[in-house]
């Protein structure tokens, strides 16, 4: 469900920046198949979010949707791990760490109050992952 919600919110943010051409890279096979028409029996909560996603996608003239292994999408994996760790705190939903007190004005009506973001630079825990990504250094996939 988190991937569906994140994409729905991300598309609303992209619409505010008025991008015409977007590439959506994801490591959720369920989300990829749902968007591209390969899933018919979704739970009603996911189906509602998918409906919003498809409506948002219709606003972009050029959309490419790509599924990747989790290891290829390392930045997203690290951010998801960070969010999961932070959300395990009992105070996360009442006073999230890192919440911005002043949102950029064009984002106020898009982002929920519990969101936080890094607008001017990436977080320090992500710098190494981004550097490796830019250099084309991939991470290994462990298969048991």
């Amino acid at each position: 469900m988190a991937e569906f919600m994140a994409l729905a919110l991300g598309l609303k943010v992209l619409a505010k920046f008025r991008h015409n051409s977007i590439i959506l890279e994801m490591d959720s096979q369920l989300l990829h198949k749902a968007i591209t028409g390969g899933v018919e029996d979704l739970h009603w909560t996911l189906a509602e979010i998918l409906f919003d996603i498809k409506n948002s996608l219709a606003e972009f003239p050029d959309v490419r949707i790509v599924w990747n292994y989790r290891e290829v999408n390392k930045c997203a994996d690290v951010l998801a791990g960070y969010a999961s760790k932070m959300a395990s705190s009992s105070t996360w939903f009442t006073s999230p760490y890192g919440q911005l007190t002043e949102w950029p004005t064009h984002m106020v009506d898009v982002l929920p109050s519990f969101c936080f973001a890094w607008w001017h630079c990436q977080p320090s825990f992500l710098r190494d992952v981004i550097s490796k990504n830019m250099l084309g250094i991939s991470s290994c996939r462990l298969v048991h």
Side-chain angles (χ1 to χ4, degrees):
M1 180 186 248
E3 293 94 347
F4 281 70
M5 292 173 65
L7 180 56
L9 182 59
L11 290 170
K12 289 178 183 175
V13 170
L14 284 173
K16 287 290 186 176
F17 286 106
R18 299 174 198 238
H19 289 285
N20 290 323
S21 181
I22 60 173
I23 300 171
L24 302 176
E25 294 186 7
M26 58 195 68
D27 58 19
S28 167
Q29 286 184 326
L30 177 62
L31 177 57
H32 182 267
K33 288 178 180 177
I35 294 170
T36 58
V39 174
E40 293 179 17
D41 294 331
L42 278 180
H43 187 273
W44 67 269
T45 54
L46 293 180
E48 285 183 2
I49 300 168
L50 180 62
F51 181 78
D52 290 340
I53 289 170
K54 288 187 173 186
N55 282 339
S56 293
L57 286 173
E59 296 179 28
F60 298 96
D62 183 27
V63 178
R64 196 170 94 195
I65 302 167
V66 180
W67 176 81
N68 289 315
Y69 287 101
R70 182 183 329 119
E71 293 79 10
V72 175
N73 208 0
K74 189 69 176 173
C75 290
D77 193 42
V78 169
L79 286 168
Y82 175 80
S84 180
K85 177 182 165 191
M86 297 307 294
S88 67
S89 164
S90 60
T91 60
W92 174 252
F93 290 102
T94 55
S95 57
Y97 170 76
Q99 184 174 359
L100 294 176
T101 54
E102 291 185 30
W103 288 102
T105 54
H106 60 290
M107 291 291 120
V108 172
D109 61 334
V110 175
L111 296 172
S113 62
F114 59 82
C115 283
F116 68 99
W118 296 276
W119 291 103
H120 300 292
C121 65
Q122 72 267 18
S124 59
F125 67 86
L126 198 58
R127 288 189 187 128
D128 184 52
V129 176
I130 291 173
S131 296
K132 286 180 180 176
N133 188 24
M134 292 173 65
L135 293 171
I137 300 170
S138 61
S139 58
C140 296
R141 180 174 184 85
L142 301 175
V143 178
H144 300 281

